[in-house]
Every structure is written in C-alpha cells, then in structure tokens.
C-alpha cells in the first residue's frame, strides 16, 4: 500500500458516525476489506462518505461477473481497478466469469484471451501473491510461469501451454480444476517449477491431454487427485507419485489404468477411492494388473 492509501485510511478512522469497521485499527481494517468480495468493499462508500474511493486502495480484487449485467462492464471495472496504484503490490487477484451475461455482450475466445493476458501481466508486475482465475478456456500467458511472488495459484478451465521454463519459487498451493495441458511434459514442468509446493489439488478434465500424470516433488505435503468421470480420447492413463514428504494422499478415480507410488514413508493419511476394473470385470489371471495393485497397496502402506 502506498502512502496516499495509508493517509486515506487514517482520514477514514478520524471521521464521525462511522460503523464498527471504522473503529478497528488500521491493520485490521485492511485485513477485513481484503477478505471481502470486492462488491462488498465498494459498498463501504455508502456506509461512510469518506470511504468513497477506499476500494481503490485495497490490495486485492475478488470479483464475480454475476454481480454485473454486461460483460464489457466487468472488463472495464477490472481495468479501472488495475489502473489505480499501479506501482503498489497486490495480495490477491480473483476473478470468476460465468456465461450468464447478455449473450450479445459476451466476449469471444480471442477477446477473453486478450483480456486475461493483459490482467495477468499487470498483476505479475505488481508482485501478486494469490491468483485465482476462472475465465473459461483461456490460454495462460508466459508471464504467469515466471512469477516469483506468487504463493497460491488456482486455475479453472484454463489452457496451459508447454513452455521451456517454469519458475514459481514461492508457490505453495496449486489448485487446477478441469485444466488442459499441451501434453504430459507441460504438467511435469509446472510441478517441477514449484520448488516449495506443499499442496496440490487436481480435478481432471477428460481432455486434459495428459496420458502419464507424473507428480514428483520433494516438498509436497498434500495431494488430492480427482479423476475425470468421463472417458477421454487417451487410453491406458497412468498416475505416478514420487513425494517423500507427502503426508496426506487422496485419490478418487475410476478410469485410470495404473497407479504408481514411491517414497511414501511420511504418509499419515490416505483416502483411496479407486475402481481398478471400471469397464470390465477384474481378471484374476491378469498378472500385470495384480502386480500393479500389490505394489500400489504396499507403497501407500509404507
């Protein structure tokens, strides 16, 4: 927060007739506002006149397009927010887009990609710590993969290209919901680029383009994997986990052909919901399948 923003809060705190929020210490005011949806932060201008522009100084955006009637209004609001205090750091940037706006006003794929690229480039420059984007099947820009400040990254429905280099040295939380990758290598590079990753959550798309999902991390503590409930174009899917510090493992899957786990000596909790023979009855003479199941159970048993 810059000095002008701090002066704004100090001025707010000295007014007359404000509500309970104004009576809080400055640090708590900002903490409360940062954890509210942006629409509620904007409403503070009604509560207290001196807070008319306070929302501009809150170092975070939490926006749901269902609070707007038109697509272009959402875009202009986000652009306007990012234009304020463009040199200051951002704690979080969370945007949710749902196809509930005026159909004639919705952005097309090219427009969506351009908007999201512009916004992510802007927040990366402002050293954002928490990024949460659900804006349809947009392609994430290269700047995202080199964001040193990012601690939490949550993406829904996004497309992740195969980049030569990924460096996310501060990311501890990674949530990927129905995300599509260029290929197996794109996923592996993303995980390997998060060198302090502690929590990984995957809700897989049947079209995520990953045949062998290899999770290799020396720092990972918790891994949640929810396989797709619909069969995709790839056969013989494999999930491989190598995480020596892993304490919590949750697997829910009915379509993956093979699971391979190793270095599970730290495992404390395992919640396994797997059907190893979803499409056909289990064949007890299938030695390959039997050996895979035996090794998997031995692996999670330590």
């Amino acid at each position: 927060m810059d000095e002008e923003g701090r002066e704004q809060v100090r001025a707010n705190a000295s007014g007359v007739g404000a509500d309970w929020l104004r009576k809080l210490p400055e640090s708590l005011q900002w903490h409360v506002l940062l954890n509210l949806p942006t629409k509620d932060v904007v409403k503070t201008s009604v509560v207290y006149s001196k807070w008319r522009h306070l929302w501009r100084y809150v170092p975070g955006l939490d926006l749901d397009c269902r609070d707007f009637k038109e697509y272009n209004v959402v875009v202009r609001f986000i652009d306007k927010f990012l234009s304020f205090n463009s040199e200051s750091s951002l704690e979080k940037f969370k945007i949710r887009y749902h196809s509930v706006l005026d159909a004639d006003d919705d952005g097309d794929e090219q427009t969506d990609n351009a908007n999201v690229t512009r916004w992510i480039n802007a927040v990366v420059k402002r050293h954002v710590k928490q990024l949460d984007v659900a804006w349809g099947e947009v392609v994430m820009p290269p700047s995202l993969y080199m964001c040193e400040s990012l601690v939490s990254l949550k993406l829904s429905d996004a497309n992740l290209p195969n980049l030569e280099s990924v460096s996310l040295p501060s990311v501890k939380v990674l949530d990927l919901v129905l995300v599509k990758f260029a290929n197996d290598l794109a996923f592996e590079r993303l995980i390997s680029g998060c060198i302090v990753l502690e929590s990984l959550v995957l809700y897989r798309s049947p079209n995520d383009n990953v045949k062998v999902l290899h999770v290799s991390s020396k720092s990972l503590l918790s891994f949640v994997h929810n396989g797709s409930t619909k069969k995709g174009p790839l056969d013989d899917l494999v999930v491989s986990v190598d995480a020596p510090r892993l304490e919590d493992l949750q697997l829910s899957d009915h379509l993956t052909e093979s699971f391979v786990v190793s270095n599970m000596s730290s495992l404390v909790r395992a919640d396994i919901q797997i059907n190893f023979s979803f499409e056909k009855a289990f064949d007890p003479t299938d030695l390959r399948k039997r050996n895979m199941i035996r090794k998997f159970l031995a692996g999670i048993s330590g």
Side-chain angles (χ1 to χ4, degrees):
M1 185 195 318
D2 60 15
E3 186 58 31
E4 184 181 358
R6 294 182 184 278
E7 288 298 329
Q8 177 81 11
V9 175
R10 295 189 186 101
N12 293 339
S14 63
V16 178
D19 65 351
W20 64 271
L21 180 59
R22 186 178 61 82
K23 297 176 182 178
L24 293 175
E26 176 184 328
S27 59
L28 288 181
Q29 286 186 27
W30 285 111
H31 181 75
V32 170
L33 293 174
L34 183 60
N35 287 279
L36 288 175
T38 298
K39 68 172 183 178
D40 293 330
V41 178
V42 173
K43 290 178 182 177
T44 59
S45 61
V46 178
V47 174
Y48 187 49
S49 60
K50 289 188 177 182
W51 283 355
R52 181 179 178 184
H53 301 298
L54 183 63
W55 65 275
R56 300 180 180 181
Y57 299 99
V58 176
L61 185 75
D62 183 348
L63 208 61
D64 192 317
C65 80
R66 287 175 295 189
D67 298 323
F68 297 81
K69 294 182 179 180
E70 298 179 3
Y71 178 88
N72 288 332
V73 175
V74 182
V75 172
R76 286 196 296 269
F77 185 92
I78 296 174
D79 284 335
K80 185 176 182 180
F81 173 82
L82 292 176
S83 70
F84 297 130
N85 309 302
S86 58
E87 301 301 320
S88 63
S89 298
L90 278 179
E91 285 291 324
K92 72 175 180 180
F93 185 74
K94 179 179 180 180
I95 52 175
R96 286 281 183 272
Y97 173 69
H98 309 268
S99 298
V100 297
L101 304 180
D102 186 343
D104 295 332
D105 196 43
D106 278 0
D108 55 26
E109 182 178 346
Q110 184 176 359
T111 301
D112 281 339
N113 277 314
N115 288 332
V116 172
T117 294
R118 181 174 69 257
W119 297 332
I120 290 182
N121 287 342
V123 300
V124 168
K125 289 181 180 179
R126 294 179 62 174
H127 310 293
V128 66
K129 293 182 179 179
Q130 302 174 43
L131 183 63
D132 189 339
V133 177
W135 203 271
E137 296 185 12
V138 294
V139 179
M140 293 294 104
S143 62
L144 173 62
Y145 302 96
M146 305 300 289
C147 184
E148 296 184 355
S149 61
L150 203 58
V151 175
S152 174
L153 175 60
K154 299 181 180 182
L155 300 174
S156 297
D157 301 304
N159 290 322
L160 304 188
N162 188 16
L163 299 179
E164 293 184 1
S165 178
V166 176
S167 179
L168 297 169
S170 302
V171 168
K172 293 185 177 181
V173 176
L174 182 60
D175 286 13
L176 304 174
V177 178
L178 303 180
V179 168
K180 296 180 181 179
F181 300 88
N183 48 40
D184 296 12
L185 185 58
F187 174 79
E188 288 187 32
R189 281 180 173 164
L190 176 62
I191 300 303
S192 63
C194 302
I195 58 175
V196 296
L197 184 64
E198 295 181 356
S199 173
L200 174 62
V201 176
L202 298 178
Y203 284 82
R204 296 186 64 180
S205 163
N207 301 304
D208 64 7
N209 300 318
V210 178
K211 183 179 178 68
V212 178
L213 185 103
H214 184 52
V215 178
S216 179
S217 172
K218 295 181 179 180
S219 59
L220 192 64
L221 301 177
S222 174
F223 177 41
V224 177
H225 175 278
N226 287 276
S228 172
T229 57
K230 297 180 180 179
K231 184 174 175 56
L234 299 178
D235 294 320
D236 301 326
L237 300 179
V238 177
V239 172
S240 173
V241 184
D242 182 356
R245 294 186 60 196
L246 193 69
E247 298 176 355
D248 187 359
L249 175 65
Q250 299 179 50
L251 298 177
S252 177
D253 200 307
H254 302 296
L255 295 176
T256 296
E257 177 70 17
S258 178
F259 289 86
V260 180
V261 295
S262 56
N263 292 323
M264 292 286 169
S265 58
S266 299
L267 196 63
V268 175
R269 176 178 179 267
D271 183 354
I272 310 299
Q273 301 180 46
I274 297 175
N275 188 334
F276 289 104
S277 300
F278 180 71
E279 295 183 317
K280 57 183 178 180
F282 178 69
D283 181 2
T285 64
D286 187 343
L287 294 180
R288 185 183 64 83
K289 175 74 75 171
R290 289 176 57 184
N291 286 334
M292 184 274 293
I293 296 174
R294 177 177 56 81
K295 290 180 180 179
F296 172 78
L297 294 176
I300 64 173
S301 300

